[in-house]
Amino acid sequence: LLVMFALSRSVSYFYMPSDFAAKPVEPGTRIRLGGLVEEGSVRRFEGRNVMFSVTDGGDTVEVHYQGILPDLFREGQGVVTEGRFSSAGGVFVADSVLAKHDENYMPKEVADRLKQDGVWEGEAAQ
């Protein structure tokens, strides 16, 4: 029982921005948020503070992150962030950001959902 309890507390659930309308998440709950970095949404501030929006073509979620972004991070590309919603204003506060450039490296569930929603087609077949 103790092992099961410890594992359940360390699990991060995966969400896309549109999932929050159907199933709101309690502030402080640790989750993974995936989608595309919205075009024109990246704002850099003093130090390593960055704000950007993650979209799945339907909804967007504003993300705050303090740290060094991965080299592949850019607008229009796939991203998976991990963190919690703040209690003030529903902003997602990420403590890690993983940027991916195509479905070969993006988690399968993110690529599948973006393709299913018609938001992203991945890289052209060679």
Side-chain angles (χ1 to χ4, degrees):
L1 268 145
L2 290 175
V3 171
M4 288 177 60
F5 178 73
L7 288 174
S8 70
R9 294 203 46 144
S10 67
V11 172
S12 295
Y13 296 100
F14 179 80
Y15 290 88
M16 300 283 286
S18 294
D19 294 336
F20 299 116
K23 185 179 176 187
V25 175
E26 292 288 320
T29 303
R30 185 161 188 79
I31 65 166
R32 280 188 222 139
L33 170 67
L36 298 176
V37 179
E38 187 174 44
E39 296 286 339
S41 71
V42 178
R43 297 175 309 277
R44 297 176 191 274
F45 299 96
E46 221 174 281
R48 297 181 195 162
N49 293 316
V50 180
M51 291 172 56
F52 57 92
S53 296
V54 173
T55 185
D56 59 6
D59 290 308
T60 60
V61 173
E62 186 173 331
V63 177
H64 290 191
Y65 177 67
Q66 182 175 2
I68 298 172
L69 291 168
D71 290 338
L72 294 174
F73 180 89
R74 57 185 55 91
E75 294 174 353
Q77 295 294 321
V79 68
V80 175
T81 62
E82 192 166 346
R84 295 175 168 85
F85 275 99
S86 69
S87 57
V91 173
F92 189 74
V93 180
D95 52 43
S96 69
V97 174
L98 301 170
K100 307 300 177 188
H101 70 329
D102 67 16
E103 74 276 7
N104 295 322
Y105 301 100
M106 185 181 297
K108 183 173 176 23
E109 60 265 4
V110 175
D112 290 348
R113 286 282 303 276
L114 290 172
K115 288 177 183 178
Q116 173 187 335
D117 295 342
V119 175
W120 185 64
E121 295 184 23
E123 298 213 342
Q126 305 253 348

